[in-house]
Amino acid sequence: MLDLKRNIYFNIIVNIKEVVPRLMKQKRIGFFGGIDYVTLITAMLGSLYGLSLVYSATYKTLTDGRIISGDIRSMLVSVAGGIIIAIIVSTIDYEIISKLWPLIAAGCVGLMIFTLLFGVAPPGRPDAKSWIDLKVFYFQPSELLKVGFIISFSYHLDMVKDKINRIKTIIPLVIHGMIPIALVLATGDAGSALVFVIIFIGMLFFAKVHIGYFIAGICAIVVAFAAAWKLNIINGLQRERITALFYPEQYADTLYQQTNAKIAMGSGGWFGQGYLNGSMTQGKEITVPENQNDMILSVAGEELGYIGALLVIGILLVLVLRVLFTGLKARNNEGYLMCSGIAVMLFAQIFINVGMELSLLPCIGITLPLFSAGGSSSLCIYLALGVEMSVYRFSKSQSKALFYTS
């Protein structure tokens, strides 16, 4: 353990010393030269589709001659800024980004600590003190922490890849993974904590950790959950939302949002009731609460039908597969692990959000990537895609790419 700590500290010092010279020597490429247009265009299509759905979801709230809602305004700014950030990040060699992990990790952890001390909870989520009020908009640091964790954990996994299945290696990896999970749980955001757990497990899987560790980990999670339930650590609304899935008739009020989301999606049929014509999306009495955020798929299902809802899922799955493919073509293990982590992050949020909307999972406040309203989410997803596009750019023409095929 002591040797591992020494190696980590040594690597931090060496990495920081190497970054500036490498940036100076980095081969200059055109702003759009070698860019991954499949990822960029797919993400932009998703954002445009998402903007149209959020516009419809907030259309009924427009008053006093307003053209767009605050959610649309925030989303437009974050998407435009995110696209620019993604392209800029993609021009920086991902190996340089990886070597900056100490600064990235420190910045993300610092923001989370600041959130714990000075964060605010919005009216719709009084139990989650997870946002920073920037006056212009609310920022959720846990979204940025996801990207920072993927970068730092990829570096950690790559550093110990030859000893990945030793218990002395696994313990520090588990500690690394538990730090962001604990920070997010401390803010009251159990949904984001679950996403971090899935990212952590998924990256270990792609790093080829032995299956025995996963079995042991799953058993530990089950025991911990049972203990937390028995000791009433999981309580209040969280407990109700889980119990409601098994006893829906007793918790109709708790399931109101999810029940209405299913009704809205089902009422759309194959082709929907028409854009801006959804009876519940545009209704005033019977609606789907927060359908511009967590329940955005219900808007697509009601107004554009099953075809519209499937198109949402299709765009996101193309994006996930593209990121995975880029990882398989990466020039080294670091790029492979970074892309794997980004793909797992996207998949986790898609899986949880859709599961919530179909009442297969408890409602825990996870947005649908690129589609839900929320500036922090869109901005940080584009940041993550910028890292993926960097892997694509700097691996594209290299014959030594991981899993390279000519």
Side-chain angles (χ1 to χ4, degrees), residues 232-245:
N232 211 35
I233 296 173
I234 300 174
N235 53 33
L237 185 58
Q238 292 178 346
R239 193 182 186 96
E240 280 189 16
R241 285 173 171 175
I242 296 171
T243 307
L245 297 179

Side-chain angles (χ1 to χ4, degrees), residues 26-45:
Q26 177 179 293
K27 182 180 178 182
R28 304 299 174 190
I29 57 178
F31 200 62
F32 295 101
I35 198 169
D36 183 0
Y37 283 107
V38 174
T39 292
L40 185 60
I41 292 173
T42 302
M44 290 172 65
L45 286 173

Side-chain angles (χ1 to χ4, degrees), residues 5 12 30-31 81 114 120 139 179 247 271 302 338 378:
K5 288 181 179 178
I12 289 174
F31 200 62
F114 181 87
V120 297
F139 180 73
I179 291 172
Y247 302 99
F271 302 104
E302 182 180 47
M338 281 183 176
S378 293

Side-chain angles (χ1 to χ4, degrees), residues 97-98 101 104 146-155 338 387:
I97 296 173
S98 177
W101 75 264
I104 294 170
K146 291 173 189 174
V147 184
F149 173 67
I150 289 169
I151 293 171
S152 64
F153 201 51
S154 295
Y155 187 90
M338 281 183 176
V387 175

Side-chain angles (χ1 to χ4, degrees), residues 203-221:
M203 291 185 71
L204 289 178
F205 173 80
F206 281 104
K208 300 177 178 64
V209 169
H210 192 275
I211 189 67
Y213 289 113
F214 290 104
I215 295 173
I218 291 170
C219 291
I221 290 172

